Amino acid sequence: MGVLGRIFGILLALVVALAIGAYFYLQDANRLKPEIEQLISEQSGYTTRINGDISWSLIPPLSLNVADVSLTNPDEDIAAGMLQLNMDLSAMWNDINQWHVTELTLLDTTYKADGASTLLNKLEVKDFRLGEPATVFADVVHTSETGAEPLAARLNGLVTYTPSTASQPQRIVLKNVRITSDMATGVCQAEATDNPLAPEKLPAEGEDDLLPLATLLSYNFSADCTFSELVVGSETFTDSRVDITNTAGRLNVMLNIDDFLGGSLVSDIDIDATKPAPLWTILPEVTDVDSQRLIDWTDQRLQWIAPIALNSKL
């Protein structure tokens, strides 16, 4: 969610800068690169460089094409292979909140931060206005800093992006988003905002971390997903639901799997990431589970040192 928020914020800055350039200068767009780069930097807070060509057409709809854009700051790098934008030309005479982007496509865009990398092979947004639902399609590959296998996914649904104001943080809302990946297939609803109470100094993240503490402290978010297929290790579960809420670093995860190893599983997990050593509370309830399948499935040779509370019927 943090990646999507940054990309939408930068796209908004890019649209503003390029539209201003198109409005004031009816000439070769490439001659305006320094001015446009400066405008984007001022709008987004990222050092911006346009390495490729810029082209536009003022014949309705306004069409903008930008090749090879890089944006950097001390902690993040974003590189976009190609931005293609179509918008209503008359929108430039309206308030920015009324601007209508008929279609926006990002190709081959890489976001790098904290050792992790997210590759957007394609991001397509149609009928986009600030604060209103727009259709979104994304083909994404995420590689974590731990060197784990890359996770590829496709998302298709509705997205609403509202930029930050003096009184409100930026907000992203996802509705009826269908997710397809090797790990999960299902439908999700989600919402994320910047956490106005986030500490100025975030904890450093390492390869062995079980939790992305900086993310949990930086954003407030909620999500509920219903999965027709959820792959965990050697097992595939065909009926499950996950509800997640995170508020100022206090995370709750409710997991329900109706076909868990011959029985069912309900797990309630609370994690307080605000403490120097995050406090976990895990309350699982399993019913009618095949014990041999459970032993085989959990053969991960993990070593835990923690107090255990168990309430079960054998």
Side-chain angles (χ1 to χ4, degrees):
M1 300 297 289
V3 173
L4 196 58
R6 282 174 170 79
I7 288 175
F8 267 106
I10 291 165
L11 282 177
L12 177 61
L14 195 61
V15 169
V16 171
L18 292 176
I20 290 173
Y23 180 69
F24 284 108
Y25 304 99
L26 303 179
Q27 55 180 297
D28 177 15
N30 284 303
R31 294 174 58 188
L32 303 173
K33 278 186 184 179
E35 290 88 347
I36 292 174
E37 289 172 344
Q38 182 178 353
L39 283 167
I40 296 172
S41 297
E42 291 172 353
Q43 292 282 335
S44 68
Y46 286 75
T47 301
T48 304
R49 184 173 180 82
I50 300 173
N51 303 300
D53 290 331
I54 305 173
S55 61
W56 61 52
S57 170
L58 295 182
I59 299 174
L62 170 67
S63 299
L64 299 169
N65 293 276
V66 187
D68 193 5
V69 182
S70 62
L71 302 101
T72 60
N73 69 22
D75 302 313
E76 301 163 311
D77 290 290
I78 298 176
M82 176 62 72
L83 167 70
Q84 299 169 339
L85 170 72
N86 294 323
M87 65 182 292
D88 181 2
L89 180 62
S90 64
M92 290 194 302
W93 283 267
N94 297 330
D95 180 86
I96 188 173
N97 293 299
Q98 302 301 316
W99 285 14
H100 178 207
V101 175
T102 56
E103 186 172 351
L104 185 149
T105 302
L106 265 180
L107 301 174
D108 301 327
T109 301
T110 303
Y111 173 84
K112 294 182 178 180
D114 301 322
S117 175
T118 300
L119 170 62
L120 277 170
N121 292 312
K122 183 176 184 180
L123 173 65
E124 185 177 70
V125 182
K126 294 183 177 180
D127 294 326
F128 174 73
R129 288 185 176 90
L130 292 178
E132 296 185 13
T135 59
V136 62
F137 168 81
D139 183 350
V140 187
V141 179
H142 179 75
T143 304
S144 70
E145 70 278 11
T146 61
E149 286 292 320
L151 174 62
R154 289 192 169 196
L155 299 83
N156 194 357
L158 296 175
V159 61
T160 302
Y161 174 72
T162 305
S164 61
T165 65
S167 59
Q168 296 291 333
Q170 70 171 338
R171 181 182 302 272
I172 292 180
V173 178
L174 299 174
K175 290 289 187 183
N176 300 324
V177 173
R178 181 163 184 80
I179 299 173
T180 305
S181 72
D182 293 337
M183 182 179 292
T185 299
V187 177
C188 292
Q189 326 291 331
E191 180 175 341
T193 66
D194 293 328
N195 175 19
L197 303 177
E200 292 186 7
K201 184 177 181 181
L202 295 170
E205 297 189 354
E207 292 185 358
D208 297 328
D209 291 355
L210 293 176
L211 293 171
L213 296 181
T215 299
L216 294 178
L217 294 169
S218 297
Y219 303 100
N220 295 332
F221 55 85
S222 63
D224 64 85
C225 298
T226 302
F227 295 110
S228 57
E229 188 174 274
L230 183 64
V231 180
V232 184
S234 60
E235 292 285 347
T236 299
F237 308 116
T238 58
D239 189 3
S240 60
R241 179 183 175 92
V242 180
D243 292 283
I244 302 171
T245 57
N246 179 70
T247 304
R250 290 175 173 84
L251 176 70
N252 174 259
V253 180
M254 285 292 299
L255 172 64
N256 291 266
I257 301 178
D258 291 337
D259 65 336
F260 184 72
L261 306 177
S264 63
L265 165 70
V266 177
S267 184
D268 185 359
I269 304 170
D270 285 301
I271 301 174
D272 187 350
T274 65
K275 298 182 178 299
L279 176 64
W280 297 55
T281 304
I282 305 174
L283 301 175
E285 179 181 336
V286 295
T287 305
D288 297 330
V289 165
D290 184 324
S291 59
Q292 188 58 57
R293 286 179 65 185
L294 178 63
I295 291 171
D296 293 342
W297 180 62
T298 56
D299 184 22
Q300 301 178 55
R301 293 177 175 83
L302 297 177
Q303 293 184 343
W304 289 82
I305 301 175
I308 296 295
L310 178 66
N311 183 7
S312 65
K313 180 187 291 185
L314 302 180

